Amino acid sequence: MSVASGDEGPAVDPSIHLTSGTWAGDWVLDSSRSSLHFRSSSLWGLVKVRGQFSNMRGEGSLGLDGTATGRLQIDASSVDTGKDKRDTHLRSDDFFHASTHPEITYSVFGITPDGPARVRVTGELTVVDHTHPLELTATLEEADPAGATLSAETELDRSTWGIDFKKMGMTKMATQVEWRLRFTRRSETPPS
């Protein structure tokens, strides 16, 4: 079954599958079909810095009653803006402290339906040694018994997570983050 929008047909209501248990089980992130991009302003808001994290892993579990838990782990050293000097600076103690805090983690505590093809995800984001609640509204782009793709966009104030380095001319601490995550059902290991 696919989740569709627009002219493709009606969108699937996630509440049916979350409460019926049809999506219950263990899920794992397909990192080859997932992405995490960001963009922020610098130089008086005139220049946009765009980048991505190229290495992440994740897993989650959905209960028969619709309860959900999960974890997305992002390799902080995999930050890539296309400029080596800037990437080295982002990995430094001015930003991600990648040598001492190698992972950025989003821990999921629950998923609830939020209308056709949408779910609300509650959890906590940990960057360096700062952990704060982060709630996301995600769009269910596609779903079938074998896999599901979720996308979300949010704006984060990086200073909330202790990343307050500001070069002269930088006007904002806001960073736009775009997630597109593909999860597949974990294969059961046959008994030996």
Side-chain angles (χ1 to χ4, degrees):
M1 156 176 44
S2 292
V3 172
S5 60
D7 297 332
E8 301 167 0
V12 169
D13 181 354
S15 63
I16 296 168
H17 299 284
L18 289 173
T19 57
S20 70
T22 55
W23 289 350
D26 295 327
W27 297 75
V28 65
L29 182 74
D30 180 348
S31 58
S32 68
R33 295 175 62 190
S34 299
S35 61
L36 175 53
H37 291 89
F38 62 88
R39 66 184 183 279
S40 62
S41 297
S42 64
L43 298 177
W44 300 281
L46 300 175
V47 175
K48 297 280 185 196
V49 174
R50 298 177 187 274
Q52 67 178 342
F53 288 93
S54 58
N55 188 8
M56 58 186 163
R57 64 187 191 282
E59 59 189 13
S61 293
L62 289 174
L64 288 170
D65 59 356
T67 57
T69 59
R71 180 176 293 241
L72 178 66
Q73 294 165 287
I74 303 149
D75 178 358
S77 68
S78 72
V79 65
D80 180 5
T81 64
K83 298 210 181 261
D84 290 340
K85 185 175 179 181
R86 179 168 50 216
D87 294 345
T88 298
H89 189 207
L90 288 172
R91 293 179 190 114
S92 77
D93 290 353
D94 284 339
F95 289 92
F96 294 116
H97 299 251
S99 63
T100 55
H101 295 85
E103 288 185 337
I104 298 165
T105 305
Y106 184 54
S107 299
V108 174
F109 305 131
I111 295 176
T112 54
D114 193 35
R118 292 169 65 91
V119 292
R120 185 158 299 275
V121 182
T122 55
E124 290 181 339
L125 179 65
T126 301
V127 182
V128 189
D129 57 357
H130 297 265
T131 300
H132 296 284
L134 179 62
E135 190 171 276
L136 300 169
T137 299
T139 299
L140 194 56
E141 292 184 2
E142 60 180 336
D144 56 50
T149 303
L150 294 150
S151 63
E153 185 172 334
T154 191
E155 183 175 279
L156 302 176
D157 179 342
R158 61 186 173 87
S159 65
T160 301
W161 284 270
I163 302 174
D164 52 11
F165 176 84
K166 200 171 185 181
K167 198 173 186 176
M168 191 174 90
M170 291 178 78
T171 58
K172 292 182 174 183
M173 292 290 184
T175 300
Q176 288 294 125
V177 181
E178 297 170 11
W179 324 62
R180 187 171 193 276
L181 306 175
R182 174 70 180 176
F183 287 91
T184 56
R185 282 193 187 267
R186 187 177 302 235
S187 300
E188 296 295 328
T189 306
S192 356

